[in-house]
Amino acid sequence: LRESEARYRVLAEQSLTGVSLLQDNKFIYTNSRFVEILGYPPRLETLNDFTKYVYEEDKNRFLERYNQILENTFEYIIDEIRIRKINNEIAYLEISMVNVLYKGKKSILLSILDITYRKKLEEELKLLSITDALTGLYNRRGFMTLAEHTFSIANRLNKKIIVMFIDLDHMKEINDKYGHQVGDQALIDLANILRETLRQNDLIARFGGDEFVIMGIIGEENHKEIVLKRLLEKIEEFNSKQDRPYKISISIGIVTYDPKNPVSLEDLLQKADEIMYEQKRIKKEKLKG
């Protein structure tokens, strides 16, 4: 038995997983990796010494899972929690808990694995899936996901929404005359103008190609006119200051959503798109004339 315990201790001490053993809510063993993951706490004698590092929003769930093991509700539990380390860094842990007998007494084997790198990588991949690589704005998928949330807020608070469909004029001519790299720069320039013009909580997305979409909750009746005026002023300011071989010009379709007259998001986007293309058609007719 002593040989078996010695072998276990050797394995536990060399493990990349933090391993601990608790009896009566007191730590009777922790390997070096366990305290290293926590950031070397000055004291780790009781369960409370550990739970004070557990992120506040995850604390109740952790204690609930611990009690489930203690009361034999489950034989084995694996979950994820966040902790605030000694240096105040947030770390993501995968925890596992199982009932064991140690020296004839009921104990809980608690293991922790630092998965912070994996969680951050998952967040980065998630962000990549909803953002446009060229401009850094949301892509179509990101916009549609978040727009539904904006819609539900507006309906709940009985607030109006404006949706703007924007098309960068003369994109084909810019690409043909100056090359696609310059064309990409024109798209980036417009994306930056939109960021500078609009509020931080407005949704701004590149739908694809030379098309951009904006959605925002409004409080004032004349908000649409204010936004449009500010946007056109920003474009004029950009064209006068920047030394580009092109001038930024846009066609816009704007629609307002009122919760009192509900329509679907798809219908709203289609209507804004139609207005934008009509404006684009009128511009082309004027050029021909």
Side-chain angles (χ1 to χ4, degrees), residues 40-255:
Y40 300 103
R43 185 171 180 269
L44 193 63
E45 297 176 7
T46 67
L47 182 67
N48 185 56
D49 294 333
F50 174 78
T51 54
K52 71 180 181 181
Y53 296 106
V54 177
Y55 206 70
E56 198 60 40
E57 293 175 9
D58 297 343
K59 196 169 290 187
N60 287 338
R61 192 176 82 255
F62 169 74
L63 290 173
E64 182 183 350
R65 305 295 263 165
Y66 181 85
N67 287 325
Q68 286 171 342
I69 287 292
L70 204 59
E71 295 163 6
N72 290 318
T73 307
F74 299 104
E75 292 181 1
Y76 191 83
I77 279 176
I78 296 179
D79 206 343
E80 291 181 9
I81 62 169
R82 292 163 294 175
I83 62 165
R84 189 180 294 277
K85 300 169 75 169
I86 294 294
N87 61 3
N88 248 4
E89 287 182 7
I90 301 297
Y92 290 83
L93 304 185
E94 181 180 270
I95 61 166
S96 62
M97 289 182 276
V98 63
N99 264 317
V100 294
L101 279 176
Y102 180 68
K103 294 184 178 180
K105 193 172 180 181
K106 184 178 177 180
S107 308
I108 291 179
L109 185 65
L110 169 64
S111 301
I112 58 175
L113 180 66
D114 192 336
I115 56 170
T116 305
Y117 176 77
R118 190 187 83 194
K119 296 298 286 186
K120 286 182 177 178
L121 188 61
E122 287 173 1
E123 286 298 318
E124 287 173 11
L125 291 172
K126 182 181 177 182
L127 188 62
L128 285 173
S129 74
I130 62 170
T131 54
D132 174 54
L134 179 66
T135 63
L137 299 176
Y138 289 114
N139 58 19
R140 181 187 290 264
R141 178 182 178 183
F143 177 86
M144 295 302 289
T145 302
L146 296 169
E148 292 292 351
H149 178 65
T150 303
F151 240 58
S152 64
I153 291 174
N155 284 325
R156 190 168 68 247
L157 300 178
N158 197 30
K159 296 285 187 180
K160 292 181 180 178
I161 291 174
I162 59 166
V163 173
M164 303 171 66
F165 222 105
I166 297 174
D167 186 88
L168 180 60
D169 295 333
H170 317 303
M171 189 63 195
K172 185 179 184 305
E173 290 88 337
I174 294 172
N175 281 330
D176 291 345
K177 191 172 182 180
Y178 304 109
H180 286 276
Q181 191 171 354
V182 176
D184 286 349
Q185 185 58 55
L187 292 168
I188 293 168
D189 287 340
L190 178 54
N192 289 335
I193 290 169
L194 294 175
R195 281 194 193 93
E196 291 171 11
T197 305
L198 297 156
R199 300 168 302 183
Q200 194 172 4
N201 58 342
D202 289 332
L203 284 179
I204 314 171
R206 182 186 173 207
F207 247 38
D210 53 6
E211 292 182 340
F212 295 78
V213 176
I214 297 158
M215 173 185 279
I217 294 175
I218 59 174
E220 306 163 8
E221 286 298 323
N222 64 339
H223 187 86
K224 182 169 69 174
E225 288 75 20
I226 293 170
V227 171
L228 183 56
K229 182 176 181 290
R230 192 163 63 226
L231 178 56
L232 295 176
E233 285 173 353
K234 282 283 185 184
I235 290 173
E236 188 177 342
E237 181 185 340
F238 175 88
N239 287 333
S240 65
K241 289 183 178 179
Q242 295 294 329
D243 184 21
R244 297 279 198 259
Y246 52 79
K247 297 292 184 184
I248 297 290
S249 172
I250 59 173
S251 298
I252 309 176
I254 308 179
V255 292

Side-chain angles (χ1 to χ4, degrees), residues 4-19:
S4 176
E5 186 175 328
R7 282 196 298 269
Y8 171 80
R9 284 182 180 272
V10 169
L11 288 171
E13 285 302 326
Q14 295 189 13
S15 174
L16 293 175
T17 302
V19 179

